[in-house]
Amino acid sequence: MNYTTQMDAAKKGIITDEMKAVAKKENIEVEILRKGVAEGKIVIPANKNHKALSPEGIGEGLKTKINVNLGISRDCPNVDVELEKVKVAIDMKAEAIMDLSSFGKTEEFRRKLIDMSPTIIGTVPVYDAVGFYDKELKDITSKEFLDVARKHAEDGVDFLTVHAGINKRTIEVFKKNERVMNIVSRGGSLLYAWMELNNKENPFYEYYDELLDICEEYDVTLSLGDSLRPGCIEDGTDAPQIEELIVLGELTKRAWERNVQVMIEGPGHIAINEIEANVLLEKKLCHNAPFYVLGPIVTDIAPGYDHITSAIGGAIAASVGADFLCYVTPAEHLRLPTLDDMKEGIIAAKIAAHAGDIGKGIPGAKDWDYDMSKARRKLDWEKMFELAIDKEKAIKYREESTPELHDSCTMCGKMCSVRNMNRVMEGKDVSILKE
């Protein structure tokens, strides 16, 4: 039986190779996975032209995945530097990489990225349009925006972030509701400017059916971008954000009618007490489509530490149902991340994802923690290093401060509670002062 997309196959009862691969990784029955894909609750971003892909599933009942943002810009156009980051991100087992390139040899970088990456690859076509055509934003035509999306799909991109929800209707709501930070989405601000300069409807909204043609042909998953996401906690969960979310829910249903897979992108900067409500709203208004969040960042005061502010929000969001976390690095709001920034961002996001999986009861999520706890009780340092999410850092810290006794560390020494409890439980003496 023939099928066009993973969703089309799932609706027809077909188990694809990609479904089999994901079910094995997730340790779930493939029929459960197929049903989730058919209902739109799970996506398997897998472009037909991405030959190096090792498929991953994103959505209900699956482990929370993380995304790493990379790409060249006008100020940092070095392709080789970004490709080195790609290699490290793959080694660190990030499930997805987004190419946010906006200047220079974007096509060269994108093709090399797709050729070498087993990870899911995403892009934002509107970023690439200005450089691709070498034209000012206002002079790009609606057709040209769609043509860039087609080009990315042909190259093998697995998901496209498209800001189709910012239309004339949502702009009116935005204009009537003053914000502290206006529009902070790069794609959203570019399309808002284009619409205002040309007095036209958003081309990705007006010609959404043509966009769906492209996605159906190559089995590209649509990641519906949140143009009006809050850029500070003061703007969180406001009328423009929710109005756009309503539109994204409408666009989700239209995509599903064409068997195009959909994710919904979410905030952004959100106060910690509003995170659960935001996840609930997305799931309700967008019909349980997978939710992809940037952070969310829970306070605006920590430039240089936003990998921490986002990990706090990401862990909470994942624990209450978010499916996909976009990493944030210490360089957020400050500059393009370095390789070391990227590593810190990945570790923070992976910690958040894992903590979220424990919270929402993903089967087997706690096994890793249980094994670490057993190693700690035994004071088995080698096993602890083997299980650590960042083995190199754990070993480095241990070696920087050598304890007197191998079965302790320099924090507690002979007062180590684990060491002394082991000795007491074994009927041995506990000596603190004597040799």
Side-chain angles (χ1 to χ4, degrees):
M1 192 182 295
N2 294 326
Y3 61 89
T4 55
T5 67
Q6 294 293 320
M7 177 174 259
D8 183 38
K11 288 179 179 178
K12 292 175 177 175
I14 300 171
I15 303 294
T16 66
D17 290 341
E18 290 80 9
M19 292 177 201
K20 292 175 185 176
V22 171
K24 184 176 181 181
K25 286 181 180 181
E26 299 285 343
N27 195 29
I28 63 171
E29 293 180 16
V30 72
E31 179 57 26
I32 294 174
L33 183 72
R34 183 203 64 77
K35 187 172 183 290
V37 174
E39 294 174 347
K41 296 177 181 179
I42 295 172
V43 297
I44 302 176
N47 188 310
K48 297 171 183 177
N49 289 342
H50 187 180
K51 305 303 182 185
L53 179 68
S54 177
E56 296 284 354
I58 299 167
E60 187 175 279
L62 308 185
K63 288 176 284 190
T64 307
K65 308 304 188 299
I66 73 160
N67 171 71
V68 172
N69 289 337
L70 298 165
I72 54 176
S73 66
R74 181 179 290 273
D75 290 316
C76 300
N78 192 314
V79 169
D80 292 336
V81 169
E82 291 305 293
L83 287 174
E84 181 59 30
K85 291 181 189 176
V86 171
K87 293 174 185 175
V88 173
I90 292 170
D91 288 343
M92 293 181 74
K93 295 181 169 52
E95 288 89 9
I97 293 173
M98 282 197 78
D99 172 16
L100 305 187
S101 295
S102 59
F103 178 81
K105 300 177 180 178
T106 58
E107 185 174 1
E108 175 189 339
F109 178 71
R110 183 171 61 252
R111 286 184 169 181
K112 286 183 177 180
L113 174 63
I114 292 165
D115 286 345
M116 70 188 290
S117 297
T119 56
I120 302 165
I121 301 299
T123 59
V124 190
V126 72
Y127 292 179
D128 192 27
V130 174
F132 184 79
Y133 292 112
D134 194 23
K135 294 167 69 171
E136 285 298 336
L137 176 65
K138 67 181 178 62
D139 297 325
I140 298 172
T141 67
S142 297
K143 181 180 183 301
E144 285 172 335
F145 278 121
L146 270 294
D147 286 345
V148 172
R150 175 172 287 280
K151 177 61 180 165
H152 286 210
E154 289 173 350
D155 286 344
V157 169
D158 301 299
F159 70 93
L160 294 176
T161 289
V162 177
H163 301 83
I166 184 168
N167 58 12
K168 289 185 176 181
R169 175 174 126 198
T170 52
I171 283 176
E172 284 305 308
V173 176
F174 164 72
K175 288 179 176 178
K176 291 176 182 177
N177 293 269
E178 185 177 352
R179 281 180 152 191
V180 175
M181 287 293 295
N182 290 318
I183 297 175
V184 299
S185 160
R186 194 191 329 176
S189 65
L190 289 170
L191 284 168
Y192 177 85
W194 184 91
M195 292 167 69
E196 292 290 290
L197 290 168
N198 291 287
N199 192 28
K200 289 184 177 180
E201 181 59 278
N202 178 351
F204 292 113
Y205 181 80
E206 185 174 5
Y207 301 105
Y208 190 63
D209 287 332
E210 285 83 343
L211 178 64
L212 294 179
D213 289 339
I214 296 168
C215 293
E216 184 179 22
E217 182 177 352
Y218 296 95
D219 197 0
V220 173
T221 298
L222 267 183
S223 189
L224 292 175
D226 50 342
S227 308
L228 297 175
R229 69 171 181 263
C232 63
I233 59 171
E234 185 65 26
D235 295 338
T237 325
D238 67 356
Q241 179 195 340
I242 303 308
E243 180 65 30
E244 183 182 30
L245 196 61
I246 292 169
V247 175
L248 298 184
E250 296 167 358
L251 295 175
T252 296
K253 281 193 168 181
R254 286 175 61 186
W256 286 348
E257 288 170 2
R258 297 286 301 278
N259 296 317
V260 172
Q261 301 181 96
V262 175
M263 298 185 289
I264 305 297
E265 297 187 14
H269 294 237
I270 288 287
I272 200 167
N273 59 304
E274 295 181 11
I275 293 173
E276 185 171 4
N278 271 259
V279 176
L280 176 63
L281 280 169
E282 184 276 337
K283 294 292 182 177
K284 286 282 189 179
L285 295 175
C286 298
H287 323 293
N288 292 307
F291 198 21
Y292 173 26
V293 294
L294 175 63
I297 289 172
V298 295
T299 177
D300 302 325
I301 64 166
Y305 296 91
D306 278 325
H307 59 311
I308 296 173
T309 65
S310 72
I312 293 168
I316 295 169
S319 73
V320 295
D323 308 288
F324 194 22
L325 305 182
C326 187
Y327 93 147
V328 174
T329 77
E332 184 79 6
H333 303 110
L334 300 171
R335 59 164 166 76
L336 193 77
T338 65
L339 182 60
D340 286 340
D341 294 332
M342 185 195 75
K343 289 180 180 178
E344 286 195 58
I346 290 173
I347 293 296
K350 288 176 76 71
I351 291 169
H354 180 66
D357 287 348
I358 293 171
K360 63 186 170 188
I362 296 296
K366 292 197 294 185
D367 293 352
W368 188 2
D369 302 78
Y370 183 70
D371 290 342
M372 177 65 86
S373 299
K374 288 198 296 183
R376 281 186 174 146
R377 175 173 173 172
K378 295 177 183 177
L379 294 168
D380 184 344
W381 298 98
E382 294 306 315
K383 185 66 174 177
M384 284 187 256
F385 297 148
E386 179 187 323
L387 291 166
I389 197 166
D390 186 351
K391 178 179 180 179
E392 291 179 8
K393 189 170 189 177
I395 291 173
K396 175 176 175 287
Y397 275 29
R398 174 75 174 168
E399 291 178 346
E400 282 178 349
S401 188
T402 306
E404 176 189 358
L405 303 170
H406 179 71
D407 61 351
S408 68
C409 75
T410 54
M411 170 68 87
C412 300
K414 285 188 174 182
M415 289 188 180
C416 171
S417 58
V418 178
R419 173 182 181 272
N420 291 335
M421 282 302 300
N422 286 344
R423 293 180 68 84
V424 170
M425 298 292 282
E426 293 168 6
K428 296 179 182 178
D429 183 30
V430 174
S431 57
I432 306 297
L433 300 178
K434 62 186 179 182
E435 295 296 327

